[in-house]
Amino acid sequence: MEKGKYANIIVDISHEKVDKPFQYKVPDALEGLLFAGSHVQIPFGSGNKLRKGYVLELTDEAEFPPERMKEIAGLVKDGVSVESDAIWLAAWMKKHYGSTMIAALKTVLPVKQTVKLKEKKKITTIATGEELISCLGECQRKHQYAKERVLKELLREPVLPYELVTKKLNVSPATLGSLERAGLIRIESENYYRNPVKLETSPEQRNTLSPMQEQIRDTFLNEYRQGIRKTYLLHGITGSGKTEVYLSMIEGVMKEGKQCIVLIPEIALTYQTLLRFYKRFGDRVSVMNSTLSKGEKYDQCERAKRGEIDIIIGPRSALFTPFPDLGLIIIDEEHEPSYKSESMPKYHARETALALAGHKGASLVLGSATPSLEAYQKAKEGEYHLFTLKERLTGGELPSVYTIDLCEELRAGNRSIFSRILQEKIRERLARKEQIMLFLNRRGYAGFVSCRSCGYVMKCPHCDVSLSQHMGGKMVCHYCGYETPQPKKCPSCSSPYILGFKAGTQQIEEQLLKYFPEARVLRMDADTTKTKGSYEEILSAFAQQEADILVGTQMIVKGHDFPEVTLVGILAADLSLNDSDYRCGERTFQLLTQAAGRAGRGQKEGEVVIQTYRPDHYSITWAAKQDYEAFFEEELLYRELAGYPPVSHMLAILVSAREEKAGFNLAGQIKQELKKLKEEASRQMLQIIGPAKARVSKINDNYRFVIYCKHSDYECLVEAKDAAEAFLDRTEHKYESVQFDFDPIDSY
Ligand code: ADP
Ligand code: ZN
Ligand code: ZN
C-alpha cells in the first residue's frame, strides 16, 4: 500500500495510450486502500460519466488546484486483473530501476496490434519407416542436407509442429512441399495451438526421474501444495537433468490450476528443448521469441489472459505474459547477461521475476550450471533454497581438461595459434571422424582497420570506437551504423599499407584450412549469423555432422547437444580477463565451464584444451577443475575487497550530451546533489566515483560521462537516483539525457 492524497489515473491501458494520466483526489474512504494498479471508478469528462481506470501512482503533489479536482468514485470489484498486475509491476520497475512510468509500462504491456491469425500447421508422417529410410539414403547420396534433417527427425517423431521444423530445423517450405508431393508426409493446416487436441506425437518416452531429481521435485511440490512460496536455486552441470526437473515441477503446478512462465535465453531455445515441452504439454504451451511479430506477441498475451495456454517459454520479455493465476516462474541459465535489459528501464529479469512472484504468490526456480554470484550467495545464506544435481545423466564422465601456457609454446618456437597438443588432438579426432569445437572467447570482436606504417586506426567520426571491416571494402560502425569505403591510403601518413585485421574467428578458420586441409570447417560469429535463421542453420548442420570442426565465439557454447563432439579447444581463454569490467573473472569461468561442458556429451570420452597466457588465474584453474564452489569463494572475496556486487550494490548514472562541456558540467552538478545525500548519518558510506568519461566516450555525436555510486544498501542507491532525478526535474536539459543502471553488468 502506498500513500498519497492524489492519484494519477489512466483510463485506457493499452501500450499506445498510456501517456495520458489524469489526477484525482483520493477520498477518505479509500485512504490506505490504493496502490499502483488498483482498478477504480472515476467520473470522467464534462458529463461525469463513470468510467473505469487504473491507478498509476499516488502522490502528495497536486498538478492543478485541488479544489478543481474530482474524486475517485470507488473501487471496481472485479477481483484481480492482469492489467492491474502489469501496472503494479511497471511501478515497481520504475522505482527500482529508475525510468519513467511510460517507459516501464511500455516494457510490460504488449503492443496492441491485430494480426491475421496465422494458421498453425503440423507435419504428419504417412510413409512407413522403411520408406523414410530409403528416402533418407537417397538424400545422403545427393547431399540434400535439409531433407536429411527433417527425415531423421520424422523417424524419431511421426508428428512435428510445422514451425518448429521451418524455424528451428531450418527446412524450407519448398523442401517440405516436395516431401509432401512424394507422399511421405502430410502437412495439415489444422490449428494445433488453438485446437484442444494434443499433438499426436509418439507417446512421450518418459524418463523415470533419478532419485535426486525425484527428491527435488517432491520437496518442491510438497512445499508448493502447502502454500509455501519461495525461491529455489537448482545448481547442476549441463546434462544433469535440470530441464527434466522443470518439466515435473510445471506438471505439478499445473495440477493446482496455475500457470507457468519459463525463461530460457533465446540462444538456448533450441529445437530439442522446445520439442520436449511440446511433447509433455501439447497445446497448453506456447513460445514467445524474437521471430514473432508484434501482432503475434500480442496474440500470445491475449491467449494467456483468456486461459488458453498454461505455459509460456521465451527469453526475458516472456516474463510479462499476463497469466491470471501465475504459479511458477522458472529462469534457466539464470547467470546469462541477456537477462538484463539494455534499454530503459534497465531491469534484470531475475530480480523482476522475484518481485512479480511475490506479488502474484508464485514460486521462483532459478537454474544454472554456473550460478551468478548474486544467486549463489543468497542460496548459501539460506535466502534461496539450494538444490544440487551433481551427475550427468547421459554420456557419463566429465571431460579431461588440459591447460596450455601459451608463453611456453612461444618459447618452444611454436608461433601458430594452435598449441602442439591441440594440433595433435585435432589430427586424432579428424582421423577418428569425431567432431571438434574451437572457441574464441571474445565478445563483439570484429576486424578493425589500421595503418601498418604509422599505426593509425580508422575510427567512426561520430563515436569513440574503431570501425570494423566488412565485405566489399566497407567499414562500418557497430554503434551508430556509419558506413564508409575503406581508404586506399592512410589518412595520416599516406602509406598504402592500410589493412584490416581479420576478425578472430575468420583468422582461425583460415589457419585451420592451412594446417588441416582435409577438415570440413563451419564458422559461427556475428558475420556468418547476420541473416535470420542462419544461426540455427549452422548449428543443425553441425549436429548432422556436415562438418568436422565448428569455430565460433561464445555463441557456440549454448544450446544444441552434439554427441559426436569429443574435443573442445578454447583458443585464448584470457581475452575476457583483460576487460576493465569487475565481472570478467565470473564471465571467463562461466564460458570455460560451459564450453568444457560441450565435450563428451555422447558415449565417447571428451577432452578439453584451454590455451591461455594466464594459466594460474583462479577463474581458469577452477574452471579446468570444474570446481564452482572454489571459484565462488575466491571470486566473492575479491568482490568483498573491492566493494562490488553482490557484496555491495552499484548504480551507474550515465550522462549523454550534445556538447562535451555541458555533459561534463551536468555530471558534476549531479555529483554535488549526491554529495548532499552523504550528509545524512545513515548514508555516509555512500561512495561516489567520477564523473569520468565513459569507456566509449562518444556515441552518435553524443558525449558520455559516467558516475558510479556504491553502497551495501540498495535503497540508498534508489535514494541517490531519486535525488538525481529531482535535480533534473528542477532544471532544464534540452540537449542532455541521463540514464540509470543499477548493478550494471557491463562497465560504461
Ligand atoms: P540439463 O537441463 O541440466 O542440461 P536435461 O534435463 O536436458 O539436463 O537432461 C540431459 C539429458 O539427460 C537429456 O537428454 C534428458 O533427456 C536426459 N535425462 C534427464 N533426466 C533423465 C532421467 N531421469 N533418466 C534418463 N535420462 C534423463
Ligand atoms: Zn599511416
Ligand atoms: Zn559510429
Side-chain angles (χ1 to χ4, degrees):
M1 269 341 95
E2 285 135 65
K3 288 222 170 86
K5 283 191 273 198
Y6 314 107
N8 296 333
I9 291 174
I10 40 168
V11 176
D12 191 334
I13 162 168
S14 68
H15 189 277
E16 297 70 27
K17 284 201 190 157
V18 291
D19 50 352
K20 267 180 36 196
F22 300 93
Q23 204 165 55
Y24 283 80
K25 243 187 274 189
V26 178
D28 292 345
L30 289 182
E31 213 182 311
L33 294 177
L34 297 176
F35 55 93
S38 292
H39 204 182
V40 291
Q41 294 252 348
I42 43 168
F44 195 77
S46 51
N48 279 337
K49 219 177 126 204
L50 279 190
R51 285 190 65 175
K52 289 174 186 171
Y54 292 93
V55 174
L56 278 193
E57 55 195 341
L58 295 162
T59 167
D60 279 328
E61 273 165 52
E63 273 163 16
F64 54 96
E67 52 285 5
R68 292 203 341 251
M69 212 181 280
K70 296 178 195 172
E71 252 185 18
I72 297 174
L75 275 167
V76 177
K77 289 193 182 54
D78 60 353
V80 279
S81 79
V82 289
E83 285 78 12
S84 157
D85 292 337
I87 293 172
W88 181 89
L89 193 59
W92 182 88
M93 286 168 81
K94 169 190 149 80
K95 176 158 180 283
H96 206 77
Y97 295 110
S99 80
T100 61
M101 190 63 189
I102 293 167
L105 276 170
K106 287 198 167 179
T107 306
V108 302
L109 295 170
V111 183
K112 188 167 188 168
Q113 215 167 53
T114 35
V115 259
K116 236 181 59 204
L117 286 182
K118 247 215 241 147
E119 258 186 330
K120 306 279 179 183
K121 296 187 261 190
K122 64 177 184 181
I123 298 167
T124 312
T125 314
I126 49 176
T128 62
E130 283 103 73
E131 285 169 319
L132 288 182
I133 290 170
S134 107
C135 182
L136 181 64
E138 197 185 313
C139 295
Q140 279 163 341
R141 271 193 306 282
K142 293 188 188 158
H143 302 291
Q144 293 171 326
Y145 296 128
K147 245 187 210 177
E148 197 182 321
R149 282 204 286 279
V150 64
L151 287 170
K152 277 188 186 161
E153 282 310 318
L154 288 170
L155 274 166
R156 267 175 240 159
E157 241 1 276
V159 183
L160 290 171
Y162 186 84
E163 282 212 321
L164 193 63
V165 174
T166 52
K167 292 214 168 119
K168 291 287 171 187
L169 269 191
N170 228 284
V171 177
S172 70
T175 303
L176 291 173
S178 86
L179 288 173
E180 188 176 30
R181 281 191 300 280
L184 294 170
I185 59 168
R186 200 167 54 218
I187 299 170
E188 288 164 318
S189 49
E190 171 203 26
N191 188 333
Y192 76 91
Y193 283 119
R194 281 151 193 289
N195 197 323
V197 174
K198 284 228 169 175
L199 185 68
E200 316 124 40
T201 50
S202 58
E204 185 196 4
Q205 296 215 335
R206 285 230 180 175
N207 294 317
T208 328
L209 293 185
S210 71
M212 259 329 283
Q213 286 173 319
E214 200 172 69
Q215 199 190 328
I216 294 171
R217 179 201 57 191
D218 291 348
T219 307
F220 171 83
L221 283 179
N222 283 337
E223 294 191 334
Y224 198 89
R225 290 193 195 108
Q226 289 169 38
I228 298 171
R229 299 290 183 269
K230 55 189 201 190
T231 304
Y232 304 81
L233 172 64
L234 177 50
H235 177 205
I237 55 168
T238 333
S240 60
K242 295 188 294 299
T243 309
E244 200 71 27
V245 172
Y246 303 149
L247 292 169
S248 68
M249 288 171 161
I250 293 171
E251 229 171 4
V253 170
M254 270 174 74
K255 283 208 187 102
E256 307 287 302
K258 303 209 177 251
Q259 299 93 39
C260 309
I261 294 173
V262 183
L263 301 188
I264 298 181
E266 181 107 34
I267 217 161
L269 270 178
T270 59
Y271 172 82
Q272 288 152 337
T273 304
L274 292 181
L275 189 64
R276 279 167 81 183
F277 278 87
Y278 281 128
K279 287 186 73 159
R280 181 74 59 99
F281 303 111
D283 62 324
R284 301 307 297 174
V285 61
S286 207
V287 178
M288 179 102 75
N289 59 26
S290 64
T291 64
L292 294 185
S293 68
K294 281 183 182 156
E296 286 171 309
K297 281 187 184 150
Y298 183 74
D299 185 44
Q300 299 278 26
C301 286
E302 288 297 299
R303 295 176 55 220
K305 247 193 238 180
R306 286 195 300 263
E308 291 175 17
I309 51 173
D310 296 312
I311 305 158
I312 194 102
I313 308 176
R316 192 173 69 218
S317 62
L319 185 60
F320 307 119
T321 308
F323 280 123
D325 233 335
L326 182 66
L328 172 65
I329 306 171
I330 292 173
I331 306 184
D332 192 28
E333 316 253 18
E334 63 75 33
H335 63 276
E336 269 289 299
S338 64
Y339 284 126
K340 177 98 195 243
S341 167
E342 285 171 353
S343 50
M344 296 283 275
K346 297 191 176 182
Y347 69 95
H348 197 296
R350 192 194 318 121
E351 297 162 7
T352 311
L354 195 59
L356 180 62
H359 180 68
K360 294 288 286 181
S363 277
L364 173 63
V365 174
L366 309 171
S368 175
T370 51
S372 62
L373 260 78
E374 279 79 357
Y376 204 71
Q377 193 200 23
K378 291 216 168 87
K380 289 201 78 161
E381 287 172 350
E383 202 174 325
Y384 297 171
H385 186 136
L386 181 64
F387 290 131
T388 313
L389 282 171
K390 286 229 159 65
E391 274 133 45
R392 266 188 188 177
L393 288 160
T394 53
E397 300 297 298
L398 283 171
S400 340
V401 180
Y402 303 84
T403 309
I404 309 300
D405 183 348
L406 286 174
C407 299
E408 229 153 73
E409 283 294 305
L410 209 61
R411 274 199 289 278
N414 177 17
R415 289 174 177 281
S416 103
I417 46 180
F418 311 114
S419 61
R420 290 158 297 172
I421 290 192
L422 184 58
Q423 288 182 31
E424 187 188 311
K425 293 196 182 296
I426 292 178
R427 210 153 272 134
E428 244 172 56
R429 295 311 191 285
L430 289 174
R432 294 210 299 253
K433 302 247 171 293
E434 292 170 4
Q435 286 183 301
I436 301 156
M437 286 172 102
L438 294 181
F439 160 69
L440 189 72
N441 183 8
R442 182 160 249 194
R443 288 184 296 149
Y445 179 77
F448 59 101
V449 181
S450 76
C451 170
R452 299 287 150 94
S453 306
C454 76
Y456 182 86
V457 175
M458 295 296 300
K459 281 192 153 186
C460 173
H462 308 289
C463 309
D464 178 36
V465 291
S466 49
L467 292 165
S468 307
Q469 190 179 37
H470 276 243
M471 298 298 184
K474 262 190 324 190
M475 299 184 303
V476 177
C477 170
H478 285 298
Y479 282 82
C480 74
Y482 172 83
E483 272 189 30
T484 184
Q486 191 172 325
K488 300 264 183 298
K489 277 196 223 150
C490 171
S492 166
C493 76
S494 301
S495 151
Y497 296 106
I498 182 148
L499 300 167
F501 278 96
K502 291 224 173 66
T505 41
Q506 207 179 334
Q507 198 188 351
I508 292 164
E509 185 184 21
E510 277 172 23
Q511 292 289 313
L512 275 173
L513 294 174
K514 203 172 110 198
Y515 281 83
F516 312 101
E518 75 280 18
R520 296 171 301 162
V521 180
L522 275 173
R523 171 162 65 92
M524 186 147 110
D525 53 27
D527 255 349
T528 60
T529 52
K530 276 215 185 73
T531 56
K532 214 167 160 180
S534 48
Y535 169 74
E536 285 285 341
E537 196 170 344
I538 295 172
L539 286 183
S540 43
F542 189 63
Q544 304 289 342
Q545 296 178 56
E546 289 160 30
D548 307 303
I549 307 179
L550 176 62
V551 179
T553 50
Q554 68 260 35
M555 288 174 173
I556 67 172
V557 308
K558 301 275 155 52
H560 285 234
D561 223 350
F562 304 110
E564 293 305 318
V565 171
T566 60
L567 174 65
V568 167
I570 295 146
L571 293 170
D574 24 28
L575 280 174
S576 70
L577 289 179
N578 297 329
D579 273 2
S580 52
D581 195 327
Y582 71 90
R583 282 180 206 260
C584 63
E586 182 180 6
R587 242 177 221 146
T588 301
F589 179 84
Q590 284 164 352
L591 290 171
L592 295 188
T593 313
Q594 303 235 335
R598 308 302 326 182
R601 297 290 295 267
Q603 298 309 313
K604 295 169 201 149
E605 201 195 328
E607 289 184 319
V608 178
V609 176
I610 300 177
Q611 303 189 159
T612 172
Y613 288 102
R614 317 235 337 237
D616 42 12
H617 189 282
Y618 65 93
S619 60
I620 292 181
T621 51
W622 294 129
K625 294 205 179 87
Q626 308 246 340
D627 191 339
Y628 176 82
E629 192 79 25
F631 167 76
F632 171 82
E633 295 296 342
E634 196 153 353
E635 180 70 16
L636 195 68
L637 200 63
Y638 155 67
R639 303 279 178 96
E640 236 164 63
L641 289 173
Y644 283 124
V647 183
S648 186
H649 287 288
M650 246 166 113
L651 165 66
I653 304 178
L654 181 73
V655 177
S656 310
R658 199 84 67 77
E659 298 282 337
E660 187 166 8
K661 198 152 178 279
F664 187 73
N665 286 344
L666 178 57
Q669 286 168 321
I670 292 175
K671 179 170 181 170
Q672 289 312 314
E673 289 298 312
L674 298 175
K675 273 191 168 163
K676 287 185 202 158
L677 194 63
K678 258 175 86 91
E679 286 160 18
E680 285 173 40
S682 64
R683 298 314 184 204
Q684 275 171 3
M685 298 302 285
L686 177 67
Q687 277 187 61
I688 307 166
I689 304 153
K693 272 190 179 179
R695 194 163 45 94
V696 180
S697 63
K698 186 173 79 167
I699 292 181
N700 234 336
D701 290 321
N702 278 297
Y703 294 88
R704 291 152 45 94
F705 295 90
V706 64
I707 302 170
Y708 282 106
C709 301
K710 282 192 199 172
H711 198 278
S712 55
D713 182 5
Y714 195 97
E715 274 311 307
C716 175
L717 298 182
V718 171
E719 284 167 25
K721 182 258 305 176
D722 289 344
E725 253 178 353
F727 168 74
L728 292 168
D729 281 347
R730 287 200 303 273
T731 46
E732 190 153 327
H733 305 283
K734 223 171 170 181
Y735 301 110
E736 293 88 35
S737 70
V738 176
Q739 291 197 351
F740 301 98
D741 192 348
F742 285 83
D743 289 343
I745 55 166
D746 278 311
S747 56
Y748 283 96

